[in-house]
Coordinates of all heavy atoms in Angstrom, one line a residue:
M115 N 0.3 -12.9 -2.8 CA -0.8 -12.6 -2.0 C -1.8 -11.7 -2.7 O -1.3 -11.0 -3.7 CB -0.4 -12.0 -0.6 CG -0.4 -10.5 -0.4 SD 0.3 -10.1 1.2 CE 1.7 -9.0 0.6
K116 N -3.0 -11.7 -2.4 CA -4.0 -10.9 -3.0 C -4.3 -9.7 -2.2 O -4.5 -9.7 -1.0 CB -5.3 -11.7 -3.2 CG -5.2 -12.9 -4.1 CD -5.5 -12.6 -5.5 CE -5.5 -13.9 -6.3 NZ -5.3 -13.6 -7.7
L117 N -4.4 -8.5 -2.9 CA -4.7 -7.3 -2.3 C -5.9 -6.7 -3.0 O -6.1 -6.9 -4.2 CB -3.6 -6.3 -2.3 CG -2.3 -6.7 -1.6 CD1 -1.3 -5.5 -1.7 CD2 -2.6 -6.9 -0.1
R118 N -6.7 -5.9 -2.3 CA -7.8 -5.2 -2.9 C -7.5 -3.7 -2.8 O -7.3 -3.2 -1.7 CB -9.1 -5.5 -2.1 CG -10.3 -5.6 -3.0 CD -11.3 -6.6 -2.5 NE -11.6 -6.5 -1.1 CZ -12.3 -5.6 -0.5 NH1 -12.9 -4.7 -1.2 NH2 -12.4 -5.6 0.8
N119 N -7.4 -3.1 -3.9 CA -7.1 -1.6 -3.9 C -8.4 -0.9 -3.4 O -9.5 -1.1 -3.8 CB -6.8 -1.2 -5.3 CG -6.1 0.1 -5.3 OD1 -5.7 0.7 -4.3 ND2 -6.0 0.7 -6.5
I120 N -8.1 0.1 -2.5 CA -9.2 0.9 -2.0 C -9.1 2.2 -2.8 O -8.2 3.0 -2.7 CB -9.1 1.2 -0.5 CG1 -9.0 0.0 0.3 CG2 -10.3 2.1 -0.1 CD1 -8.6 0.2 1.7
N121 N -10.1 2.4 -3.7 CA -10.1 3.6 -4.5 C -10.8 4.8 -3.9 O -11.7 4.6 -3.0 CB -10.8 3.3 -5.9 CG -10.0 2.3 -6.6 OD1 -10.3 1.1 -6.6 ND2 -9.0 2.7 -7.3
G122 N -10.4 6.0 -4.2 CA -11.1 7.1 -3.8 C -10.9 7.5 -2.3 O -11.8 8.1 -1.7
T123 N -9.8 7.2 -1.8 CA -9.5 7.6 -0.4 C -9.2 9.1 -0.4 O -8.4 9.6 -1.2 CB -8.4 6.9 0.2 OG1 -7.3 6.8 -0.7 CG2 -8.8 5.5 0.6
S124 N -9.9 9.9 0.4 CA -9.6 11.3 0.5 C -8.4 11.6 1.4 O -7.9 12.7 1.4 CB -10.8 12.0 1.1 OG -11.2 11.5 2.3
D125 N -8.0 10.6 2.1 CA -6.8 10.7 3.0 C -5.6 10.7 2.2 O -4.9 9.7 2.0 CB -6.8 9.5 3.9 CG -6.7 9.9 5.3 OD1 -6.6 11.1 5.6 OD2 -6.7 9.0 6.2
T126 N -5.2 11.9 1.6 CA -4.1 11.9 0.7 C -2.7 11.9 1.4 O -1.8 11.5 0.7 CB -4.2 13.1 -0.2 OG1 -4.4 14.3 0.6 CG2 -5.4 13.0 -1.2
T127 N -2.7 12.3 2.6 CA -1.4 12.3 3.2 C -1.5 12.1 4.8 O -2.6 12.1 5.3 CB -0.6 13.6 2.9 OG1 0.7 13.5 3.3 CG2 -1.2 14.8 3.6
C128 N -0.4 12.0 5.4 CA -0.3 12.0 6.9 C 0.9 12.8 7.3 O 1.5 13.4 6.5 CB -0.3 10.5 7.3 SG 1.3 9.7 6.8
K129 N 1.2 12.7 8.6 CA 2.3 13.5 9.2 C 3.6 13.1 8.6 O 4.5 13.9 8.7 CB 2.3 13.2 10.7 CG 1.4 14.0 11.5 CD 1.6 13.8 13.0 CE 0.6 14.6 13.8 NZ 0.6 14.1 15.2
C130 N 3.7 12.0 8.0 CA 5.0 11.5 7.4 C 5.3 12.3 6.1 O 6.4 12.2 5.6 CB 5.0 10.1 7.1 SG 4.5 9.1 8.6
G131 N 4.3 13.0 5.5 CA 4.6 13.8 4.3 C 3.9 13.1 3.1 O 3.3 13.8 2.3
S132 N 4.0 11.8 3.0 CA 3.3 11.0 2.0 C 3.1 9.6 2.5 O 3.8 9.2 3.5 CB 4.0 11.0 0.7 OG 5.1 10.1 0.8
W133 N 2.2 8.9 1.9 CA 1.9 7.5 2.4 C 3.1 6.6 2.0 O 3.3 5.6 2.6 CB 0.6 7.0 1.8 CG -0.6 7.6 2.5 CD1 -1.5 8.5 1.9 CD2 -1.0 7.4 3.8 NE1 -2.4 8.8 2.8 CE2 -2.2 8.2 4.0 CE3 -0.5 6.6 4.9 CZ2 -2.8 8.2 5.2 CZ3 -1.2 6.7 6.1 CH2 -2.3 7.5 6.3
L134 N 3.9 7.0 1.0 CA 5.0 6.2 0.7 C 6.1 6.4 1.8 O 6.7 5.4 2.2 CB 5.6 6.7 -0.7 CG 6.5 5.7 -1.4 CD1 5.8 4.3 -1.6 CD2 6.9 6.3 -2.7
L135 N 6.3 7.6 2.3 CA 7.2 7.8 3.3 C 6.7 7.1 4.6 O 7.5 6.6 5.4 CB 7.4 9.3 3.6 CG 8.2 10.1 2.5 CD1 8.1 11.6 2.7 CD2 9.6 9.6 2.4
H136 N 5.4 7.1 4.8 CA 4.8 6.5 5.9 C 5.1 5.0 5.9 O 5.5 4.4 6.9 CB 3.3 6.7 5.8 CG 2.5 6.0 6.9 ND1 2.0 6.6 8.0 CD2 2.0 4.7 7.0 CE1 1.3 5.8 8.8 NE2 1.3 4.6 8.2
W137 N 5.0 4.4 4.7 CA 5.3 3.0 4.5 C 6.8 2.7 4.9 O 7.1 1.7 5.6 CB 5.0 2.5 3.1 CG 5.2 1.1 2.8 CD1 4.4 0.1 3.0 CD2 6.4 0.5 2.3 NE1 5.0 -1.1 2.7 CE2 6.2 -0.9 2.2 CE3 7.7 1.0 1.9 CZ2 7.2 -1.8 1.8 CZ3 8.7 0.2 1.5 CH2 8.4 -1.2 1.4
K138 N 7.6 3.5 4.4 CA 9.1 3.4 4.7 C 9.4 3.5 6.2 O 10.1 2.6 6.7 CB 9.8 4.5 4.0 CG 10.4 4.1 2.6 CD 11.1 5.3 2.1 CE 12.2 5.1 1.2 NZ 12.7 6.3 0.5
K139 N 8.8 4.4 6.8 CA 9.1 4.7 8.2 C 8.6 3.6 9.1 O 9.3 3.1 10.0 CB 8.4 6.0 8.6 CG 8.7 6.6 9.9 CD 8.1 8.0 10.1 CE 8.2 8.5 11.5 NZ 7.6 9.8 11.7
F140 N 7.4 3.1 8.9 CA 6.8 2.1 9.8 C 7.0 0.7 9.3 O 6.9 -0.2 10.1 CB 5.3 2.4 10.0 CG 5.1 3.7 10.8 CD1 4.8 4.9 10.1 CD2 5.3 3.8 12.2 CE1 4.6 6.1 10.8 CE2 5.2 5.0 12.9 CZ 4.8 6.1 12.2
G141 N 7.4 0.5 8.1 CA 7.7 -0.8 7.6 C 9.1 -1.2 7.8 O 9.5 -2.3 7.9
G142 N 9.9 -0.1 8.0 CA 11.3 -0.4 8.3 C 12.1 -1.1 7.1 O 13.1 -1.7 7.4
S143 N 11.5 -1.0 6.0 CA 12.2 -1.7 4.8 C 12.4 -0.6 3.7 O 11.7 0.4 3.6 CB 11.4 -2.9 4.3 OG 10.0 -2.7 4.4
S144 N 13.4 -0.9 2.9 CA 13.6 0.0 1.8 C 12.6 -0.3 0.6 O 12.1 -1.4 0.5 CB 15.0 -0.1 1.3 OG 15.4 -1.4 1.0
L145 N 12.4 0.7 -0.2 CA 11.4 0.6 -1.2 C 11.8 -0.5 -2.3 O 13.0 -0.5 -2.6 CB 11.3 2.0 -1.9 CG 10.0 2.5 -2.3 CD1 9.0 2.4 -1.2 CD2 10.1 3.9 -2.8
P146 N 10.9 -1.3 -2.8 CA 11.2 -2.2 -3.8 C 11.6 -1.4 -5.1 O 11.1 -0.3 -5.3 CB 9.9 -3.0 -4.0 CG 8.9 -2.1 -3.5 CD 9.5 -1.3 -2.4
E147 N 12.4 -2.0 -5.9 CA 12.8 -1.3 -7.1 C 11.6 -1.1 -8.1 O 11.5 -0.1 -8.7 CB 13.9 -2.1 -7.8 CG 14.6 -1.2 -8.9 CD 15.8 -2.0 -9.5 OE1 16.1 -3.1 -9.1 OE2 16.2 -1.5 -10.6
F148 N 10.8 -2.2 -8.2 CA 9.7 -2.2 -9.1 C 8.4 -2.3 -8.3 O 8.4 -2.7 -7.1 CB 9.7 -3.3 -10.1 CG 11.0 -3.4 -10.9 CD1 11.9 -4.4 -10.7 CD2 11.2 -2.4 -11.8 CE1 13.1 -4.4 -11.4 CE2 12.4 -2.4 -12.6 CZ 13.3 -3.4 -12.4
C149 N 7.3 -2.0 -8.9 CA 6.0 -2.2 -8.4 C 5.8 -3.7 -8.0 O 6.2 -4.6 -8.8 CB 4.9 -1.9 -9.5 SG 3.2 -2.3 -9.1
P150 N 5.4 -4.0 -6.8 CA 5.3 -5.4 -6.4 C 4.2 -6.3 -7.0 O 4.1 -7.5 -6.8 CB 5.0 -5.3 -4.9 CG 4.4 -4.0 -4.7 CD 5.0 -3.1 -5.7
E151 N 3.4 -5.7 -7.9 CA 2.4 -6.4 -8.6 C 3.1 -7.4 -9.5 O 4.1 -7.1 -10.1 CB 1.5 -5.5 -9.4 CG 0.1 -6.1 -9.8 CD 0.2 -6.9 -11.1 OE1 1.1 -6.7 -11.9 OE2 -0.7 -7.7 -11.3
T152 N 2.6 -8.7 -9.5 CA 3.3 -9.7 -10.2 C 3.4 -9.4 -11.7 O 2.5 -9.2 -12.4 CB 2.4 -11.0 -10.1 OG1 2.0 -11.2 -8.8 CG2 3.3 -12.3 -10.4
G153 N 4.7 -9.3 -12.1 CA 4.9 -9.0 -13.5 C 5.0 -7.6 -13.9 O 5.3 -7.2 -15.1
C154 N 4.8 -6.7 -12.9 CA 4.8 -5.2 -13.2 C 6.2 -4.7 -13.1 O 6.9 -5.1 -12.1 CB 3.9 -4.5 -12.4 SG 3.8 -2.7 -12.7
V155 N 6.7 -3.9 -13.9 CA 8.1 -3.3 -13.8 C 8.1 -1.8 -13.8 O 9.1 -1.2 -14.0 CB 9.0 -3.8 -15.0 CG1 9.2 -5.3 -14.9 CG2 8.3 -3.5 -16.3
Q156 N 7.0 -1.2 -13.4 CA 6.9 0.2 -13.3 C 7.6 0.7 -12.0 O 7.6 -0.1 -11.0 CB 5.4 0.7 -13.2 CG 4.7 0.4 -14.5 CD 5.3 1.0 -15.7 OE1 5.6 2.2 -15.8 NE2 5.5 0.2 -16.8
K157 N 8.2 1.9 -12.1 CA 9.0 2.4 -10.9 C 8.3 3.6 -10.3 O 8.9 4.1 -9.3 CB 10.4 2.7 -11.4 CG 11.2 1.5 -11.8 CD 12.6 1.9 -12.2 CE 13.4 0.6 -12.6 NZ 14.8 1.0 -12.9
D158 N 7.3 4.1 -10.8 CA 6.6 5.3 -10.3 C 5.7 4.9 -9.1 O 4.5 4.9 -9.2 CB 5.9 6.1 -11.3 CG 4.8 5.2 -12.1 OD1 5.0 3.9 -12.1 OD2 3.9 5.7 -12.6
L159 N 6.4 4.6 -8.0 CA 5.6 4.1 -6.8 C 5.0 5.1 -6.0 O 5.5 6.2 -5.8 CB 6.6 3.2 -5.9 CG 7.2 2.1 -6.6 CD1 8.2 1.4 -5.7 CD2 6.2 1.1 -7.2
V160 N 3.8 4.8 -5.5 CA 3.1 5.6 -4.6 C 2.6 4.7 -3.4 O 2.6 3.5 -3.6 CB 1.8 6.4 -5.2 CG1 2.3 7.3 -6.3 CG2 0.8 5.3 -5.7
G161 N 2.2 5.3 -2.3 CA 1.7 4.5 -1.2 C 0.2 4.3 -1.3 O -0.6 5.2 -1.2
A162 N -0.2 3.1 -1.7 CA -1.6 2.9 -2.0 C -2.3 2.3 -0.8 O -1.7 1.6 0.0 CB -1.7 1.8 -3.1
H163 N -3.6 2.7 -0.6 CA -4.4 2.1 0.4 C -5.0 0.8 -0.1 O -5.6 0.7 -1.1 CB -5.6 3.0 0.7 CG -5.2 4.2 1.6 ND1 -4.5 5.3 1.1 CD2 -5.4 4.5 2.9 CE1 -4.3 6.2 2.1 NE2 -4.8 5.7 3.2
V164 N -4.8 -0.3 0.7 CA -5.2 -1.6 0.3 C -5.9 -2.3 1.4 O -5.6 -2.0 2.6 CB -4.1 -2.5 -0.3 CG1 -3.5 -1.8 -1.6 CG2 -3.0 -2.7 0.7
Q165 N -6.6 -3.4 1.1 CA -7.1 -4.4 2.1 C -6.7 -5.7 1.6 O -6.4 -5.9 0.4 CB -8.6 -4.3 2.2 CG -9.2 -3.2 3.0 CD -10.7 -3.2 3.0 OE1 -11.4 -3.3 2.0 NE2 -11.3 -3.1 4.2
L166 N -6.6 -6.7 2.4 CA -6.3 -8.0 2.0 C -7.4 -8.6 1.2 O -8.6 -8.4 1.5 CB -6.1 -8.9 3.2 CG -4.8 -8.6 4.0 CD1 -4.7 -9.6 5.2 CD2 -3.6 -8.8 3.2
G167 N -7.1 -9.2 0.1 CA -8.1 -9.8 -0.8 C -8.2 -11.3 -0.6 O -7.8 -11.8 0.5
G168 N -8.6 -12.0 -1.6 CA -8.7 -13.4 -1.6 C -9.7 -13.9 -0.5 O -9.4 -15.0 0.1
G169 N -10.7 -13.2 -0.2 CA -11.7 -13.6 0.8 C -11.2 -13.5 2.2 O -11.8 -14.1 3.2
S170 N -10.2 -12.7 2.5 CA -9.7 -12.5 3.9 C -10.8 -11.8 4.7 O -11.5 -10.9 4.2 CB -8.4 -11.7 3.8 OG -8.1 -11.3 5.2
T171 N -10.8 -12.1 6.0 CA -11.7 -11.5 6.9 C -11.1 -10.3 7.6 O -11.8 -9.5 8.3 CB -12.2 -12.5 8.0 OG1 -11.0 -13.0 8.6 CG2 -13.0 -13.6 7.5
D172 N -9.8 -10.0 7.3 CA -9.1 -8.9 7.8 C -9.6 -7.6 7.0 O -9.4 -7.5 5.8 CB -7.6 -9.1 7.6 CG -6.8 -7.9 8.3 OD1 -7.4 -6.9 8.6 OD2 -5.6 -8.1 8.4
Q173 N -10.3 -6.8 7.7 CA -10.9 -5.6 7.0 C -10.1 -4.3 7.2 O -10.5 -3.2 6.9 CB -12.3 -5.3 7.5 CG -13.3 -6.4 7.2 CD -13.5 -6.5 5.7 OE1 -14.0 -5.6 5.1 NE2 -13.2 -7.7 5.1
R174 N -8.9 -4.5 7.9 CA -8.1 -3.3 8.1 C -7.5 -2.7 6.9 O -7.3 -3.4 5.9 CB -7.0 -3.7 9.2 CG -7.5 -3.9 10.5 CD -6.5 -4.4 11.5 NE -6.0 -5.7 11.1 CZ -5.0 -6.4 11.7 NH1 -4.4 -5.9 12.7 NH2 -4.7 -7.6 11.3
W175 N -7.2 -1.4 7.0 CA -6.5 -0.8 5.8 C -5.0 -0.8 6.0 O -4.5 -0.5 7.1 CB -7.0 0.7 5.8 CG -8.4 0.8 5.3 CD1 -9.4 -0.1 5.3 CD2 -9.0 2.0 4.7 NE1 -10.6 0.4 4.8 CE2 -10.4 1.7 4.4 CE3 -8.6 3.3 4.4 CZ2 -11.2 2.6 3.8 CZ3 -9.4 4.2 3.9 CH2 -10.8 3.9 3.6
Y176 N -4.4 -1.0 4.9 CA -2.9 -1.1 4.9 C -2.4 -0.2 3.8 O -3.1 0.2 2.9 CB -2.4 -2.5 4.6 CG -2.8 -3.5 5.7 CD1 -3.9 -4.3 5.6 CD2 -2.0 -3.6 6.9 CE1 -4.2 -5.2 6.6 CE2 -2.3 -4.5 7.9 CZ -3.4 -5.3 7.7 OH -3.7 -6.2 8.7
I177 N -1.1 0.2 3.9 CA -0.4 0.9 2.9 C 0.6 -0.1 2.2 O 1.3 -0.8 2.9 CB 0.4 2.1 3.4 CG1 -0.5 3.1 4.2 CG2 1.2 2.8 2.3 CD1 -1.6 3.7 3.3
C178 N 0.5 -0.1 0.9 CA 1.5 -0.9 0.1 C 2.0 -0.1 -1.1 O 1.2 0.6 -1.7 CB 0.7 -2.1 -0.4 SG 1.7 -3.2 -1.5
P179 N 3.2 -0.1 -1.3 CA 3.7 0.6 -2.5 C 3.2 0.0 -3.8 O 3.3 -1.2 -4.0 CB 5.3 0.5 -2.4 CG 5.6 -0.3 -1.3 CD 4.3 -0.9 -0.7
L180 N 2.6 0.8 -4.7 CA 2.2 0.3 -6.0 C 2.5 1.4 -7.0 O 2.6 2.6 -6.6 CB 0.7 0.1 -6.0 CG 0.1 -1.1 -5.2 CD1 -1.4 -1.1 -5.3 CD2 0.6 -2.4 -5.8
C181 N 2.6 1.0 -8.2 CA 2.9 2.1 -9.3 C 1.6 2.9 -9.4 O 0.5 2.4 -9.0 CB 3.3 1.4 -10.6 SG 2.0 0.5 -11.4
S182 N 1.7 4.0 -10.1 CA 0.5 4.9 -10.1 C -0.6 4.2 -10.9 O -1.8 4.4 -10.7 CB 0.9 6.2 -10.7 OG 1.5 6.1 -11.9
R183 N -0.3 3.4 -11.9 CA -1.3 2.7 -12.7 C -2.0 1.7 -11.8 O -3.3 1.6 -11.8 CB -0.7 2.0 -13.9 CG -1.7 1.4 -14.8 CD -1.1 0.9 -16.1 NE -0.2 -0.2 -16.0 CZ -0.6 -1.5 -16.1 NH1 -1.8 -1.7 -16.3 NH2 0.3 -2.5 -16.0
H184 N -1.3 0.9 -11.0 CA -1.9 -0.1 -10.2 C -2.6 0.6 -9.0 O -3.5 0.0 -8.4 CB -0.9 -1.2 -9.7 CG -0.7 -2.2 -10.8 ND1 0.5 -2.4 -11.4 CD2 -1.6 -3.0 -11.4 CE1 0.4 -3.4 -12.3 NE2 -0.9 -3.7 -12.4
N185 N -2.2 1.8 -8.6 CA -2.9 2.5 -7.6 C -4.3 2.8 -8.0 O -5.2 3.0 -7.2 CB -2.1 3.8 -7.2 CG -2.7 4.5 -6.0 OD1 -3.2 3.9 -5.1 ND2 -2.7 5.8 -6.1
K186 N -4.6 2.9 -9.3 CA -5.9 3.2 -9.9 C -6.7 2.0 -10.2 O -7.8 2.1 -10.7 CB -5.7 4.1 -11.1 CG -5.2 5.5 -10.8 CD -5.2 6.4 -12.0 CE -4.6 7.8 -11.7 NZ -3.1 7.7 -11.7
H187 N -6.0 0.8 -10.1 CA -6.6 -0.4 -10.5 C -7.9 -0.7 -9.6 O -7.8 -0.5 -8.4 CB -5.6 -1.5 -10.3 CG -6.1 -2.9 -10.6 ND1 -6.0 -3.4 -11.9 CD2 -6.7 -3.9 -9.8 CE1 -6.5 -4.7 -11.8 NE2 -6.9 -4.9 -10.6
V188 N -8.9 -1.2 -10.2 CA -10.1 -1.5 -9.5 C -10.2 -3.0 -9.3 O -10.0 -3.8 -10.2 CB -11.4 -1.0 -10.2 CG1 -12.7 -1.4 -9.5 CG2 -11.4 0.5 -10.4
G189 N -10.4 -3.4 -8.0 CA -10.5 -4.8 -7.7 C -9.2 -5.4 -7.1 O -8.4 -4.7 -6.6
E190 N -9.1 -6.7 -7.3 CA -8.0 -7.4 -6.7 C -6.7 -7.4 -7.5 O -6.7 -7.3 -8.7 CB -8.3 -8.9 -6.4 CG -9.4 -9.0 -5.3 CD -9.3 -10.3 -4.5 OE1 -8.6 -11.2 -5.0 OE2 -10.0 -10.3 -3.5
L191 N -5.6 -7.4 -6.8 CA -4.3 -7.4 -7.4 C -3.5 -8.6 -6.8 O -3.7 -8.9 -5.6 CB -3.5 -6.1 -7.1 CG -3.9 -4.8 -7.6 CD1 -3.3 -3.7 -6.8 CD2 -3.5 -4.7 -9.1
S192 N -2.6 -9.1 -7.6 CA -1.7 -10.2 -7.1 C -0.4 -9.6 -6.9 O 0.2 -9.1 -7.9 CB -1.7 -11.3 -8.2 OG -1.5 -12.5 -7.5
V193 N 0.1 -9.6 -5.7 CA 1.5 -9.0 -5.4 C 2.4 -10.0 -4.8 O 2.0 -11.0 -4.3 CB 1.4 -7.8 -4.5 CG1 0.5 -6.7 -5.1 CG2 0.9 -8.2 -3.1
T194 N 3.7 -9.7 -4.9 CA 4.7 -10.6 -4.4 C 4.5 -10.8 -2.9 O 4.2 -9.8 -2.2 CB 6.1 -10.1 -4.7 OG1 7.0 -10.9 -4.1 CG2 6.3 -8.7 -4.4
D195 N 4.7 -12.0 -2.4 CA 4.4 -12.3 -1.0 C 5.4 -11.6 0.0 O 5.1 -11.5 1.1 CB 4.5 -13.8 -0.8 CG 3.3 -14.5 -1.3 OD1 2.2 -13.9 -1.4 OD2 3.4 -15.7 -1.6
T196 N 6.5 -11.2 -0.6 CA 7.5 -10.6 0.3 C 7.3 -9.1 0.6 O 7.9 -8.6 1.5 CB 8.9 -10.7 -0.3 OG1 8.9 -10.2 -1.6 CG2 9.4 -12.2 -0.4
I197 N 6.3 -8.5 0.0 CA 6.1 -7.1 0.2 C 5.4 -6.9 1.6 O 4.6 -7.7 2.0 CB 5.2 -6.5 -0.9 CG1 5.3 -4.9 -0.9 CG2 3.8 -6.9 -0.9 CD1 6.6 -4.4 -1.3
K198 N 5.9 -5.9 2.3 CA 5.4 -5.6 3.6 C 4.2 -4.7 3.6 O 4.2 -3.7 2.8 CB 6.6 -4.9 4.4 CG 6.4 -5.0 5.8 CD 7.8 -4.9 6.5 CE 7.7 -5.1 8.0 NZ 9.0 -5.2 8.6
L199 N 3.2 -5.0 4.4 CA 2.1 -4.1 4.5 C 2.2 -3.3 5.8 O 2.5 -3.9 6.8 CB 0.8 -4.9 4.5 CG 0.5 -5.8 3.2 CD1 -0.8 -6.5 3.4 CD2 0.5 -4.9 2.0
V200 N 1.9 -2.0 5.8 CA 2.0 -1.2 6.9 C 0.6 -0.7 7.2 O -0.1 -0.3 6.3 CB 3.0 0.0 6.7 CG1 3.0 1.0 7.8 CG2 4.4 -0.6 6.5
S201 N 0.3 -0.6 8.5 CA -1.1 -0.1 8.9 C -1.3 1.3 8.4 O -0.4 2.2 8.5 CB -1.2 -0.1 10.4 OG -2.4 0.5 10.8
A202 N -2.5 1.6 7.9 CA -2.9 2.9 7.4 C -3.6 3.7 8.5 O -4.0 4.8 8.3 CB -3.8 2.8 6.2
S203 N -3.7 3.1 9.7 CA -4.3 3.7 10.8 C -3.3 4.7 11.4 O -2.3 4.4 12.0 CB -4.7 2.7 11.8 OG -5.0 3.4 13.0
K204 N -3.7 6.0 11.3 CA -2.8 7.1 11.8 C -2.7 6.9 13.4 O -1.7 7.2 14.0 CB -3.3 8.4 11.5 CG -3.2 8.8 10.0 CD -3.7 10.2 9.7 CE -3.9 10.4 8.3 NZ -4.5 11.7 8.0
A205 N -3.9 6.6 14.0 CA -3.9 6.4 15.4 C -2.9 5.4 15.9 O -2.4 5.4 17.0 CB -5.3 6.1 15.9
A206 N -2.6 4.4 15.1 CA -1.8 3.3 15.5 C -0.3 3.5 15.1 O 0.6 2.8 15.4 CB -2.2 2.0 14.9
T207 N -0.1 4.6 14.3 CA 1.3 4.9 13.8 C 1.7 6.3 14.1 O 2.1 6.6 15.2 CB 1.3 4.5 12.3 OG1 0.3 5.2 11.6 CG2 1.2 3.0 12.0
C208 N 1.6 7.2 13.1 CA 2.2 8.5 13.2 C 1.4 9.5 14.0 O 2.0 10.5 14.4 CB 2.5 9.1 11.8 SG 1.2 8.9 10.6
D209 N 0.2 9.2 14.4 CA -0.6 10.2 15.2 C -0.5 9.8 16.7 O -1.2 10.4 17.5 CB -2.1 10.2 14.8 CG -2.3 11.5 14.0 OD1 -1.4 12.3 13.8 OD2 -3.5 11.7 13.5
R210 N 0.3 8.9 17.0 CA 0.4 8.5 18.4 C 1.1 9.5 19.3 O 2.1 10.1 18.8 CB 1.1 7.2 18.6 CG 0.1 6.0 18.6 CD 0.7 4.8 19.2 NE 2.0 4.5 18.5 CZ 2.4 3.2 18.4 NH1 1.8 2.2 19.0 NH2 3.5 2.9 17.8
Ligands
ZN504 ZN1 2.3 8.6 8.6
ZN505 ZN1 2.3 -1.8 -11.1

């Protein structure tokens, strides 16, 4: 699936402690061993803010684990289809 990285989010954390912990908590899945970007084998994962790419009309913000390099990537990324996206909306998750 295609994701679009949202760069420059000032929202560095949430009540969960980090966006990576947020992803774990609300995604209910364990962290992938490697960055889910196709072909990437980095393990320094962070919780990245993303939107669906590939011309999707879904404009919502999601959290997806990505390595720190891909977290700085500008534009679209190709990630494995099995990776879970978790809502980045605090109102819908940890701020309830
Ligand atoms: Zn949270
Ligand atoms: Zn990566």
Side-chain angles (χ1 to χ4, degrees):
M115 99 184 122
K116 296 271 189 199
L117 295 180
R118 215 149 44 78
N119 195 14
I120 304 166
N121 295 97
T123 45
S124 54
D125 231 1
T126 51
T127 191
C128 66
K129 278 184 182 167
C130 306
S132 76
W133 287 111
L134 199 57
L135 292 170
H136 177 99
W137 181 87
K138 263 177 151 171
K139 186 171 173 186
F140 294 99
S143 35
S144 53
L145 220 52
E147 195 181 348
F148 304 111
C149 172
E151 201 270 342
T152 319
C154 184
V155 292
Q156 298 301 311
K157 295 182 177 183
D158 53 336
L159 300 177
V160 298
H163 283 73
V164 297
Q165 285 178 309
L166 291 178
S170 172
T171 53
D172 186 346
Q173 294 294 300
R174 286 174 294 179
W175 286 22
Y176 295 98
I177 301 299
C178 177
L180 289 175
C181 69
S182 53
R183 185 167 71 88
H184 280 119
N185 185 38
K186 295 188 182 76
H187 180 89
V188 176
E190 293 208 346
L191 290 164
S192 214
V193 299
T194 173
D195 284 336
T196 53
I197 195 72
K198 200 156 187 170
L199 301 180
V200 172
S201 174
S203 164
K204 293 181 192 176
T207 51
C208 46
D209 257 0
R210 267 201 304 208

